[in-house]
Amino acid sequence: MADEVDLESLKELEREVILQVLYRDRAVQSIEEERIRKLKTHLQHLRWKGAKSSSQEYREKCCARCQRALGLLLNRGAVCQGCSHRVCSECRVFLRRTHTWKCTVCFEDRNMKIKTGEWFFEERAKKFPTEGKHETAGAKLLQSYQRLSKISVVPPTPPPLSESQCGGSPSRGSLISINSTCTEMGNFDNANNVTGEIEFAIRYCFKTQSLEICIKSCKNLAYGEEKKKKCNPYVKTYLLPDRSSQGKRKTRVQKNTLDPTFEETLKYQVDPAQLVTRRLQVSVWHLGTLARRVFLGEVILSLATWDFEDSVVQTSHSYPLRSKAEKYEDGVPQNNGELAVRAKLVLPAGSRKVQETQEDQLSLNGQLCLVVLGAKNLPVRSDGTLNSFVKGCLTLPDQQKLRLKSPVLKKQGCPQWKHSFVFNGVSSSQLRQSSLELTVWDQAIFGMSDRLLGGARLGTKGGAAGSVDSCSQSKLQWQKVLSSPNLWTDMTLVLH
C-alpha cells in the first residue's frame, strides 16, 4: 500500500502532518520495545536464580526456586505442571478462578507473554506457520521521506517512561489481564497552558486512621481550543514520597467537559505519625484515544502543618492548578526518609603510629563494623507498612565490592533492624579511597522486583547528586569513623 502513496504529490503542510504522525508512531514503538526488553530481562534473572535445571543433579531435595530444603513428610513440595520442577508452597502462585497453580518463574513467563502480547503471535504462528514479518506502510513512507529535501520535520522526543508504567506486583491468587498491563502509558502530550482550578477537601479519621481526599470538581480546564468538546478529565492522587502503583488513587473519567464534577472520596490508610512527613499530590489528566494521557495541572500540599482537628480546615477549598513540578526543586534531591546507623573501624592492637607505618601488613586484619539501627519517614505503602530490608555495598579502591544484606522486617512503617554488617580484611588506607553505599528496599512477592525506597553513600563519593550539604556532611561523618578507630560513631543518613 505504501507504494501507492506518493508524497511528492502532496503539499508540504500535508506531508509534514503525515510524517509527524509516523514519527510519533515510531517513538511509541521504541518505548514499547524497551518495555518488552525489560520484562524479558527480569524473567531471565528469575530463571538464573532458580536452583535446578534439567541438566543438573543435586544431592539434597530442595525447592527449585528458593532452594529451601524439602521434608519427607511435611512440606514435601509439588511438581509444577509448567516446568516439571518440584517447588515449595511459598513459590506457588494460584491462578484466578481456577484451582491450578504455577511456580513463580512459570507464572512470570505467562505474565510476560500476556503483557507483551506474545501469546497472540504464538497462536497466530500456529494457524499461519508460513506467514513472515513484513515491513509496514508507515516504515516505507519514512524511508521514502529520506529522499525529500524540501521539508524539515524534527522527530518528536519520545515520551519518558513513568514510574507507574506497568508497575505494581500481582497479588497472590490473581492474574493480570491484558487491559490492565499498562495503567499509565506516559505523557504523550501536554496541555498548551495550565489554567483552571480544582476543589477538594482533606479529612482524617483518627478512629480508622484513614486520610480522605474528597474531590469535588474542576473549573476552566485547558486542553486546546480545537479539542474543548473532547476533554475527558479525571483526577489522580499520590501521598508523596510514595509514587508506587499501590499509592495511586484515581477518580472516574468525566466525558466531554472542561468543568467536571466528581464528588468522589479517595482514601489512604496511614498512621497519624506519618502524616507530618507526607505531601499530597493532586493532579488532573485528560484521557485521550488509545489510552493517551495529557497532563492538565496539579496541586501539591504539605501535610506537616495541617490541622486535621480544625473543622474549618476540613471543608472544601479551591486551589489553582499549576504546571508539573520538577523532580528535584532548586537542585535538592528528594528526601525519602532517614537511616540511623552506627559505625566503627576495628584495627589490630598496637600504637597508631605503628599501624600507620605498617598499613600494608595490616590490610587484611582490619574490620569495618556497621550496625543498621532503624529508619523513619520512609515512603510506605498505602496501608502504612513495609516489608523492608537494607543492602550494604563496600566498594574498595580496586573496584572489589563487598555486599551484605539485613533480614526482612515485615509490616512495619518505621523498621528497627539493629543488624550488624561486618566487612573483613580492610584497612584505614583502603577505606579512605572506598565508598560505602546503603540502600533500603521494600520486598516484593512472588519473584517481582523489589522497590527501592532510598539510599545514602559514605566515602569518596558520598552524598546525593546535586546536594552539596549532604555530600560534605557524609564526608565528615566518614572521616570521623576513620580517624577514630575502635570507637563507635553514630550517624543519621538522609535517604535519596
Side-chain angles (χ1 to χ4, degrees):
M1 178 179 177
D3 296 335
E4 301 176 0
V5 179
D6 184 10
L7 293 181
E8 298 281 359
S9 62
L10 300 177
K11 297 180 180 180
E12 291 188 5
L13 182 59
E14 294 173 333
R15 296 177 193 171
E16 184 177 351
V17 172
I18 294 175
L19 292 169
Q20 285 282 13
V21 174
L22 294 177
Y23 272 123
R24 175 174 292 178
D25 177 69
R26 190 168 67 179
V28 173
Q29 290 180 10
S30 299
I31 294 175
E32 181 68 9
E33 291 173 359
E34 178 65 16
R35 183 181 72 88
I36 293 174
R37 185 193 64 80
K38 290 183 179 180
L39 289 173
K40 291 184 176 181
T41 301
H42 175 64
L43 175 61
Q44 189 62 36
H45 285 320
L46 289 180
R47 287 173 174 166
W48 287 340
K49 291 180 182 178
K52 292 185 177 181
S53 67
S54 58
S55 61
Q56 293 177 326
E57 295 181 359
Y58 290 79
R59 296 181 181 178
E60 60 178 355
K61 187 178 180 182
C62 62
C63 174
R65 299 306 168 208
C66 65
Q67 306 183 32
R68 181 182 301 175
L70 300 177
L72 296 177
L73 297 177
L74 300 177
N75 195 19
R76 297 174 59 249
V79 177
C80 175
Q81 299 298 323
C83 60
S84 300
H85 285 153
R86 186 174 292 273
V87 297
C88 65
S89 58
E90 298 295 328
C91 296
R92 307 175 198 171
V93 183
F94 288 86
L95 306 182
R96 185 195 298 180
R97 299 176 182 175
T98 65
H99 297 287
T100 60
W101 58 270
K102 291 182 178 291
C103 70
T104 52
V105 172
C106 292
F107 174 81
E108 186 63 23
D109 179 74
R110 184 172 187 257
N111 200 20
M112 185 271 296
K113 290 182 178 179
I114 292 175
K115 288 183 176 181
T116 60
E118 285 191 3
W119 65 272
F120 172 78
F121 295 105
E122 289 181 357
E123 295 298 324
R124 185 175 182 178
K126 294 178 183 178
K127 195 170 183 179
F128 307 100
T130 60
E131 183 175 322
K133 183 178 180 180
H134 300 285
E135 189 177 19
T136 62
K140 291 182 178 180
L141 282 174
L142 285 177
Q143 288 181 0
S144 64
Y145 163 65
Q146 304 300 330
R147 298 191 299 268
L148 300 178
S149 59
K150 295 183 179 180
I151 310 173
S152 177
V153 180
V154 179
T157 303
L161 292 173
S162 61
E163 292 184 3
S164 58
Q165 183 173 356
C166 303
S169 303
S171 58
R172 191 177 186 117
S174 66
L175 180 63
I176 299 178
S177 64
I178 301 175
N179 293 332
S180 61
T181 55
C182 285
T183 56
E184 294 292 337
M185 289 299 292
N187 304 335
F188 285 84
D189 199 357
N190 287 311
N192 295 331
N193 54 351
V194 175
T195 63
E197 58 186 28
I198 180 172
E199 182 182 359
F200 61 90
I202 305 177
R203 304 186 182 98
Y204 186 79
C205 180
F206 289 91
K207 184 177 181 179
T208 60
Q209 293 189 350
S210 62
L211 181 68
E212 300 178 354
I213 300 96
C214 306
I215 308 297
K216 300 294 184 180
S217 61
C218 295
K219 295 181 180 179
N220 304 323
L221 298 179
Y223 182 52
E225 294 297 330
E226 72 280 6
K227 300 179 180 179
K228 279 187 176 181
K229 297 182 180 180
K230 298 182 181 180
C231 185
N232 304 323
Y234 68 95
V235 178
K236 180 173 64 175
T237 64
Y238 282 104
L239 206 54
L240 302 179
D242 183 13
R243 294 180 181 271
S244 64
S245 59
Q246 294 90 349
K248 178 174 62 178
R249 303 289 187 272
K250 295 197 300 185
T251 65
R252 291 188 294 269
V253 178
Q254 303 297 321
K255 299 291 186 179
N256 300 330
T257 177
L258 292 176
D259 301 300
T261 300
F262 298 98
E263 296 294 343
E264 295 186 42
T265 301
L266 309 178
K267 296 183 179 181
Y268 290 91
Q269 292 296 129
V270 56
D271 189 86
Q274 288 284 335
L275 289 175
V276 296
T277 65
R278 312 303 287 273
R279 292 183 302 154
L280 176 64
Q281 181 189 46
V282 181
S283 56
V284 184
W285 298 76
H286 159 72
L287 178 62
T289 57
L290 300 178
R292 186 179 67 179
R293 269 72 173 176
V294 180
F295 175 76
L296 301 180
E298 70 175 6
V299 175
I300 298 181
L301 300 176
S302 175
L303 302 180
T305 59
W306 206 269
D307 187 3
F308 292 100
E309 296 182 354
D310 189 350
S311 58
V312 178
V313 174
Q314 298 186 36
T315 58
S316 60
H317 296 274
S318 295
Y319 302 89
L321 294 174
R322 302 185 182 277
S323 301
K324 204 169 189 61
E326 296 294 334
K327 185 177 181 181
Y328 297 146
E329 297 180 0
D330 299 330
V332 179
Q334 182 179 350
N335 188 333
N336 284 346
E338 297 177 350
L339 180 66
V341 298
R342 179 177 296 168
K344 177 175 68 171
L345 173 61
V346 180
L347 294 178
S351 65
R352 189 168 179 180
K353 292 184 179 180
V354 174
Q355 293 173 7
E356 291 177 354
T357 58
Q358 298 178 351
E359 274 306 350
D360 296 336
Q361 290 81 358
L362 299 175
S363 60
L364 300 178
N365 297 326
Q367 287 183 338
L368 177 63
C369 300
L370 187 79
V371 179
V372 181
L373 300 176
K376 61 181 181 179
N377 302 335
L378 297 174
V380 296
R381 301 176 182 176
S382 58
D383 60 354
T385 64
L386 294 167
N387 296 335
S388 56
F389 62 94
V390 179
K391 290 182 181 180
C393 179
L394 179 64
T395 304
L396 299 177
D398 58 356
Q399 299 305 312
Q400 179 185 0
K401 295 182 182 295
L402 306 179
R403 303 178 188 272
L404 294 173
K405 178 182 174 182
S406 75
V408 179
L409 292 185
K410 296 188 175 181
K411 297 183 179 181
Q412 294 188 22
C414 298
Q416 301 295 317
W417 296 279
K418 298 181 180 179
H419 181 76
S420 298
F421 289 162
V422 179
F423 300 94
N424 295 307
V426 295
S427 66
S428 58
S429 62
Q430 284 181 312
L431 294 178
R432 290 190 189 99
Q433 306 176 49
S434 305
S435 63
L436 174 63
E437 185 176 11
L438 299 174
T439 52
V440 185
W441 299 78
D442 181 20
Q443 186 186 52
I445 57 176
F446 306 133
M448 301 300 291
S449 298
D450 298 328
R451 180 167 65 101
L452 177 63
L453 303 177
R457 183 177 295 170
L458 294 169
T460 56
K461 298 179 180 179
S467 177
V468 179
D469 294 338
S470 176
C471 182
S472 59
Q473 183 181 5
S474 63
K475 286 184 178 180
L476 291 175
Q477 291 172 332
W478 184 250
Q479 291 173 1
K480 185 178 180 180
V481 174
L482 300 183
S483 61
S484 305
N486 302 320
L487 294 177
W488 288 105
T489 300
D490 292 332
M491 295 176 287
T492 300
L493 307 177
V494 178
L495 301 175
H496 299 291

